[in-house]
Amino acid sequence: MTAPGTVVRRWTVIASGLLVLALALVVIYTGPNAFLSPIALVVVAAIGMAALLLQLRFRQDLPQVRSPLWLNILGLVCAVAALTADFLKMQRRTIEVASFAAVVCFGIGGSLVLRALRSPRKASE
């Protein structure tokens, strides 16, 4: 018989493997010049943020930590703006600003979550 913790750990490992696979596919099927593109930074930042949020979802032993929803939505809006600006052949500067804003939003959200996870827990918990 398997323990309940084993089932949760199994899903965590499967989710981690899928995210590593997604990142590997991005790296394998992307040419070297594409990594100079701001869109590649957005994709990698979004995969990293998804990994962090999935870790929070699957692990039961973590305290109730949440990433700010408004920051995630702002990052998502900036990422979509960068993608649409690229497809509409807008100025390179517009794409770079939108991509940078998305990466900053994902980075701040991730660092807030990691800081909350690393803070010492109270004795009552």
Side-chain angles (χ1 to χ4, degrees), residues 24-66:
L25 288 175
V26 167
V27 171
I28 289 171
Y29 291 109
T30 303
N33 291 335
F35 283 105
L36 300 175
S37 168
I39 302 299
L41 294 176
V42 172
V43 170
V44 172
I47 290 172
M49 189 67 180
L52 183 62
L53 292 176
L54 279 175
Q55 175 118 6
L56 287 176
R57 171 73 63 184
F58 286 125
R59 289 197 45 194
Q60 303 297 325
D61 61 331
L62 296 176
Q64 288 296 329
V65 176
R66 300 224 182 259

Side-chain angles (χ1 to χ4, degrees), residues 2 4 13-14 28 35 63 73 81 83 86 92 99 103:
T2 61
V13 170
I14 290 171
I28 289 171
F35 283 105
I73 291 173
L83 287 173
D86 188 36
R92 177 114 175 125
S99 300
V103 170

Side-chain angles (χ1 to χ4, degrees), residues 2 9 11-13 15 31 55 63 72 74 81 85 87 89 91 93-94 102 105 108 111:
T2 61
R9 183 168 173 87
W11 285 110
T12 304
V13 170
Q55 175 118 6
N72 289 338
L74 182 63
F87 287 126
K89 306 290 186 209
Q91 292 181 357
R93 184 125 175 113
T94 305
C105 288
I108 290 173
S111 64

